[in-house]
Amino acid sequence: METGSTCLKNLQKFCAALFLPLTAAVLFLSPFGVIPALGQTSDNDYPSKQPMGTIKGTVVTRDGLPAIAVTISVSGGHSTRSDRDGNFTMEGVKAGRQTVIATFVGLRPKQQEVLVPIDGTVELQIILSEDAQTLQEVIVTGAGEEKILDKSTDYVARMPLSNLENPQVYSVVSKELMKEQVAVDIGEVVRNAPGSVPQVYASGGFGMMIRGFSTGVNARNGMETVSGRSSLDIANIERIEVLKGPSGTLFGSAVSSFGGVVNLVTKKPFETAHTEVSYTGGSYNLNRLTVDLNRPLTEDKTALFRLNAAVNRQKSFLNYGFNNTFLIAPSLSFRVNERLTFLLDAEYFHTNNTRMVYNRFDRASGITSAEQIPLAYNRVLFKDDGDAKTTVTKFFTEAKYKISKNWTSSTLFSFVGEEVDHSYQFYQTWTAPDSVIRSVLVYGPIYNNYLNVQENVNGQFYTGFLKHNLLIGVNYRYTKGGFNNANTGNIDTVGVYGPVTDVSKRMVDARLVETIFPQASQQTISAYATDVINFTDRFSAMLSLRVDRFERKEIATTPGYKQTALAPKLGLIYQVWKDRLSAFANYMSGFQNLAPSNQPDGTLLVLDPVNANQSEAGVKLETAAKKVSLTLSYYRIVIDNATRINTDGFTVQDGKQVSKGAEFELLANPVPGMHLLAGYVYNDNRIVRASDPTIEGNKAINAPENVANLWVSYTFQHALKGLGLGFGGNYVDKSFGFADNVFSVPSYTVLNATAFYDQPKWRLGFKLNNIGNERYWDAWTAPQAPRNFAVNLTLRF
């Protein structure tokens, strides 16, 4: 096990080899003018040889409403976008006369001359010739290409850093891309993030594999959420942000896995009245209805309301199974004055469905691949009257206060309550090539409540020539739950080549033996800080540190536990080509206070905390007008005290694990109307040390070595304007189900295509999934849907 001193030595070596000599040179020589800030050639670098100033302002339509996502640029490569209130700011602009250009897909550029004062700020208002309705129509039919490729976010660093300024790798999947792909399920959506492989848990929850580690969807608007037993619906999602690598410094152990963080950004109210009703029908009796209603509640637009709702009904392609869900998600924003705004939102999500069947394999079965399971591809040995009912309720509030020109306070509160009324979970244990033991676990009632209160203060200031972007935050987390389950034991052993009676709910209920597991309450008090130091406007360092005080109360025979954990983070970025090409490196740490693990025999294993450290380096490229965005990196993640699942399905905590690999992402808009998204991740995740020497050097479970994604689409811009076609697919390499690397899940390639016709008032879309009718299985050996289709009609008012 690596000690803290060993980790520190690794960090020191990493920094020294890559950036410390460069940093020392800048700090020592720049104030004396010996070097012009790392090969400075641009007029906009600092320490300033050229006088600089700031341009800030607002973009509005001709009827006075804010214009969102308009690109504002000046000569010298500076560009930004207007925010949801139409505001924008550009710093470090060469003083003197400048031409400000406002551009938006589908609109004529708007130019305006300004005089930028030295070390001062010029303010202006840009008025577009279009009204709000026209602009909304342009957004619907044209601006999707910007939003699909846009990586802007305030959540990844908890401060407004651009992709080129951020030393962390992340991907963004927008709602515009979801619409283009006629997506109805979260699993379809996350495949657009390079290296992300969706997972549906036996418990009914949803997660994904990232960099060789299982990662839940644990963040919502930057705060803790949960989907471990309830899954989620995409109807209220504006975009999905997938952060790569341990991110415990900013998000904490409850939200981050060692592979990364998945953050859902929900739909927020905006100032234009808009209604969207959408119906999707398709294979296996798919019937899905969604509503998106947005209204300003006051004439001055200080109070805004939005409501998203979805009803989903679908059968399975298997001989059993269904998935019925209901979502309602209201949100309200209120601007008290120019300094203070409030945001309140809530979600209620109810599911009634069947769980997947989980396969286990005895060595005597001789089954070493999911392909060898001796059942028809769509055959299950259970009836679907054994269902599951879950409910999750989420509340979120934010009070944002502008303390001064450069300082902002955000006070946040979130509550998540996940309840399982009952959940029938089916298990097949193969003991021979033609025989299987059937058993069922019934979970519930279960409840898990999560409460978080958080305060963040963001600000900008200077110390000499050094510019600082500072975040200081504190967080209090409290969680409490209750856990019951019942076990049938082995119901029977059947030969699958003869007549088999499927297990019914009545057969299960007659055999159940209930067990109650007392659950200890937990609380965590955290403090964290991040300082992004700009040595020049090309070279910056991100220094972050988080301290967590975790406490789990004593309960029954399980002793209490307390831990204080530090999670440092260091990131360095140098813009080789200003606002175009960045070289970056990071050192990030993460830790997890793991929940007890449910073992196959119904017992609980209390797990110790696990720690991980990541070193990563790479480059990011973005061309003018963001027509191309490229990220390439190499990473290495080291984990002590790692957990694994043995061949009997039991969780074991006994070793060291190393995950390393390379990641590539390309987003491009080569011509108007065309989108290209491509990604490839190579990951080598191995067990380096374990109490069982026979598995040392083996691959970690459920960690495919090669994962690739591709999506290309084109929307006609002139003749047949609004008509579009899309095509793409995903490749996932084989993975191993257990640490002995005997049983494998085969590799697969799935291809999909869409056709759509998008107009300001309506949209018609068609999607064909799994064109090649590929037979493939997920990490838990559940067979996935063969060729299927979906048709969507959307009306806008």
Side-chain angles (χ1 to χ4, degrees):
M1 180 180 297
E2 286 193 348
T3 64
S5 61
T6 304
C7 294
L8 181 58
K9 290 178 182 177
N10 290 338
L11 171 59
Q12 292 170 337
K13 292 177 182 178
F14 176 68
C15 296
L18 287 173
F19 283 102
L20 285 185
L22 189 60
T23 307
V26 172
L27 292 175
F28 181 75
L29 298 175
S30 291
F32 301 99
V34 178
I35 60 171
L38 292 175
Q40 172 182 0
T41 57
S42 167
D43 289 340
N44 295 320
D45 289 346
Y46 56 99
S48 296
K49 286 190 174 181
Q50 295 287 343
M52 301 295 171
T54 299
I55 301 175
K56 67 182 300 184
T58 305
V59 188
V60 298
T61 58
R62 68 182 181 189
D63 48 355
L65 296 178
I68 303 170
V70 176
T71 299
I72 313 299
S73 60
V74 297
S75 60
H78 283 78
S79 66
T80 188
R81 279 196 178 100
S82 57
D83 63 18
R84 60 189 295 269
D85 298 316
N87 299 323
F88 68 91
T89 301
M90 282 190 293
E91 298 178 330
V93 179
K94 182 180 176 181
R97 192 164 299 278
Q98 294 280 2
T99 300
V100 179
I101 305 172
T103 58
F104 196 86
V105 174
L107 301 181
R108 290 184 303 238
K110 176 86 174 188
Q111 296 188 9
Q112 195 163 331
E113 296 287 332
V114 296
L115 186 63
V116 181
I118 299 174
D119 296 327
T121 300
V122 60
E123 298 190 15
L124 72 155
Q125 184 181 67
I126 299 175
I127 302 176
L128 301 179
S129 58
E130 290 72 20
D131 59 21
Q133 181 61 36
T134 302
L135 186 63
Q136 179 65 25
E137 293 180 3
V138 173
I139 291 173
V140 168
T141 59
E145 65 187 42
E146 285 199 356
K147 293 189 176 182
I148 285 177
L149 306 180
D150 188 11
K151 300 187 77 169
S152 301
T153 171
D154 291 336
Y155 294 101
V156 171
R158 294 192 185 273
M159 61 174 63
L161 289 182
S162 70
N163 179 41
L164 292 180
E165 296 172 315
N166 195 326
Q168 185 166 6
V169 175
Y170 65 94
S171 300
V172 176
V173 182
S174 69
K175 73 176 188 297
E176 286 76 21
L177 181 58
M178 300 180 207
K179 290 180 180 179
E180 186 172 286
Q181 296 181 345
V182 196
V184 298
D185 178 76
I186 183 71
E188 303 173 64
V189 175
V190 299
R191 289 185 183 275
N192 292 289
S196 300
V197 181
Q199 291 183 313
V200 176
Y201 304 138
S203 63
F206 178 82
M208 64 188 80
M209 293 299 295
I210 304 175
R211 294 192 171 180
F213 301 99
S214 181
T215 304
V217 181
N218 295 327
R220 180 179 181 273
N221 297 323
M223 298 288 282
E224 182 180 11
T225 189
V226 66
S227 62
R229 296 186 179 275
S230 57
S231 193
L232 50 90
D233 194 287
I234 65 173
N236 191 39
I237 297 177
E238 181 74 22
R239 66 181 184 273
I240 301 174
E241 301 173 342
V242 182
L243 291 65
K244 308 298 179 68
S247 300
T249 306
L250 290 181
F251 291 91
S253 63
V255 174
S256 172
S257 89
F258 300 144
V261 169
V262 181
N263 180 48
L264 304 181
V265 180
T266 60
K267 296 177 180 179
K268 309 294 194 306
F270 52 93
E271 294 190 352
T272 305
H274 181 73
T275 301
E276 186 171 291
V277 179
S278 180
Y279 170 77
T280 305
S283 299
Y284 318 120
N285 294 328
L286 170 64
N287 287 278
R288 177 178 173 83
L289 179 68
T290 65
V291 176
D292 184 351
L293 171 69
N294 187 84
R295 289 290 185 273
L297 299 181
T298 57
E299 195 170 317
D300 61 359
K301 311 295 176 65
T302 56
L304 308 172
F305 176 77
R306 190 170 185 177
L307 176 69
N308 281 272
V311 178
N312 194 97
R313 298 287 184 270
Q314 189 173 22
K315 295 289 187 180
S316 171
F317 75 94
L318 300 168
N319 64 301
Y320 101 131
F322 61 90
N323 183 40
N324 299 332
T325 66
F326 171 72
L327 168 77
I328 185 166
S331 59
L332 173 70
S333 68
F334 180 64
R335 188 174 73 248
V336 179
N337 50 47
E338 294 302 315
R339 287 176 176 256
L340 179 63
T341 59
F342 289 98
L343 174 67
L344 301 91
D345 75 53
E347 278 190 20
Y348 174 86
F349 182 55
H350 177 75
T351 66
N352 177 207
N353 56 18
T354 50
R355 305 308 197 201
M356 56 169 274
V357 175
Y358 181 55
N359 287 286
R360 300 167 178 159
F361 303 92
D362 190 284
R363 282 186 179 273
S365 71
I367 298 175
T368 60
S369 171
E371 295 174 298
Q372 299 172 0
I373 296 174
L375 287 175
Y377 188 69
N378 67 338
R379 180 80 168 96
V380 171
L381 303 177
F382 300 86
K383 293 182 180 295
D384 61 10
D385 56 352
D387 64 350
K389 287 186 178 180
T390 62
T391 301
V392 62
T393 307
K394 303 176 183 180
F395 296 101
F396 173 87
T397 65
E398 178 184 27
K400 184 170 288 187
Y401 182 73
K402 191 173 181 61
I403 301 171
S404 65
K405 175 183 176 182
N406 293 321
W407 291 89
T408 303
S409 165
S410 297
T411 305
L412 305 104
F413 167 86
S414 74
F415 169 83
V416 179
E418 187 178 46
E419 297 185 11
V420 179
D421 181 81
H422 63 270
S423 176
Y424 285 73
Q425 298 175 203
F426 309 108
Y427 299 88
Q428 299 176 157
T429 303
W430 297 91
T431 57
D434 61 349
S435 64
V436 61
I437 298 173
R438 299 185 293 183
S439 60
V440 179
L441 284 172
V442 180
Y443 291 88
I446 296 173
Y447 77 91
N448 293 295
N449 293 335
Y450 305 85
L451 183 147
N452 278 266
V453 182
Q454 190 175 105
E455 171 64 28
N456 294 313
V457 176
N458 290 84
Q460 297 182 355
F461 64 96
Y462 285 85
T463 55
F465 68 87
L466 299 179
K467 176 185 174 183
H468 299 261
N469 277 290
L470 182 66
L471 162 71
I472 299 175
V474 293
N475 190 90
Y476 173 77
R477 174 184 185 261
Y478 177 82
T479 177
K480 177 64 177 176
F483 185 91
N484 295 353
N485 80 347
N487 194 342
T488 63
N490 295 337
I491 295 176
D492 57 17
T493 301
V494 296
V496 297
Y497 292 130
V500 179
T501 300
D502 293 341
V503 172
S504 66
K505 180 176 182 293
R506 179 180 57 81
M507 295 169 62
V508 171
D509 292 347
R511 293 170 169 79
L512 289 176
V513 177
E514 186 176 19
T515 305
I516 299 175
F517 293 101
Q519 298 291 292
S521 62
Q522 302 175 14
Q523 67 175 5
T524 306
I525 301 174
S526 310
Y528 50 89
T530 295
D531 188 7
V532 177
I533 306 171
N534 292 87
F535 301 104
T536 75
D537 68 344
R538 290 178 180 235
F539 180 46
S540 63
M542 174 185 284
L543 306 175
S544 303
L545 182 64
R546 182 186 186 100
V547 57
D548 274 21
R549 177 61 175 174
F550 171 81
E551 181 178 356
R552 184 179 65 224
K553 297 294 186 181
E554 177 183 356
I555 189 166
T557 59
T558 303
Y561 179 81
K562 296 181 180 181
Q563 179 197 37
T564 300
L566 292 175
K569 175 180 179 181
L570 168 64
L572 298 167
I573 249 191
Y574 175 58
Q575 296 192 37
V576 180
W577 182 7
K578 176 65 177 156
D579 295 328
R580 295 291 180 267
L581 177 64
S582 294
F584 70 91
N586 64 60
Y587 176 90
M588 297 193 297
S589 66
F591 61 94
Q592 291 180 351
N593 296 300
L594 298 177
S597 175
N598 301 314
Q599 302 288 50
D601 61 359
T603 62
L604 280 182
L605 172 66
V606 178
L607 297 167
D608 293 330
V610 183
N611 298 285
N613 300 292
Q614 172 183 277
S615 303
E616 183 174 18
V619 294
K620 296 182 179 182
L621 169 70
E622 289 187 353
T623 62
K626 301 189 185 298
K627 293 291 184 180
V628 175
S629 175
L630 172 70
T631 302
L632 181 64
S633 71
Y634 174 83
Y635 62 87
R636 186 174 186 268
I637 304 171
V638 179
I639 301 167
D640 284 317
N641 208 17
T643 62
R644 61 183 175 88
I645 299 176
N646 66 19
T647 55
D648 297 321
F650 285 78
T651 299
V652 179
Q653 185 174 39
D654 65 355
K656 177 179 178 180
Q657 195 171 332
V658 175
S659 177
K660 56 187 177 182
E663 182 158 333
F664 162 83
E665 181 182 46
L666 173 65
L667 310 175
N669 173 216
V671 297
M674 177 173 282
H675 306 144
L676 171 62
L677 298 88
Y680 168 73
V681 173
Y682 169 80
N683 176 257
D684 182 24
N685 189 355
R686 294 185 182 273
I687 300 167
V688 176
R689 185 183 65 244
S691 59
D692 179 1
T694 65
I695 66 170
E696 291 184 353
N698 284 3
K699 289 277 193 178
I701 67 167
N702 302 334
E705 192 168 274
N706 298 280
V707 177
N709 65 283
L710 174 68
W711 183 256
V712 182
S713 66
Y714 179 73
T715 304
F716 291 88
Q717 301 295 294
H718 302 293
L720 302 175
K721 183 177 181 180
L723 177 64
L725 301 171
F727 176 81
N730 297 86
Y731 171 79
V732 177
D733 211 344
K734 78 171 183 179
S735 60
F736 294 102
F738 307 101
D740 62 359
N741 287 187
V742 173
F743 180 85
S744 66
V745 178
S747 63
Y748 61 86
T749 300
V750 176
L751 302 176
N752 311 303
T754 63
F756 53 88
Y757 192 49
D758 199 347
Q759 295 298 299
K761 298 297 184 182
W762 58 276
R763 176 188 177 94
L764 182 64
F766 174 80
K767 176 76 173 292
L768 185 62
N769 295 303
N770 195 359
I771 297 172
N773 208 28
E774 179 97 343
R775 291 192 174 192
Y776 67 107
W777 295 260
D778 71 1
W780 308 109
T781 69
Q784 303 300 292
R787 185 186 300 118
N788 63 92
F789 74 92
V791 179
N792 169 264
L793 174 63
T794 299
L795 303 177
R796 306 181 179 105
F797 308 96

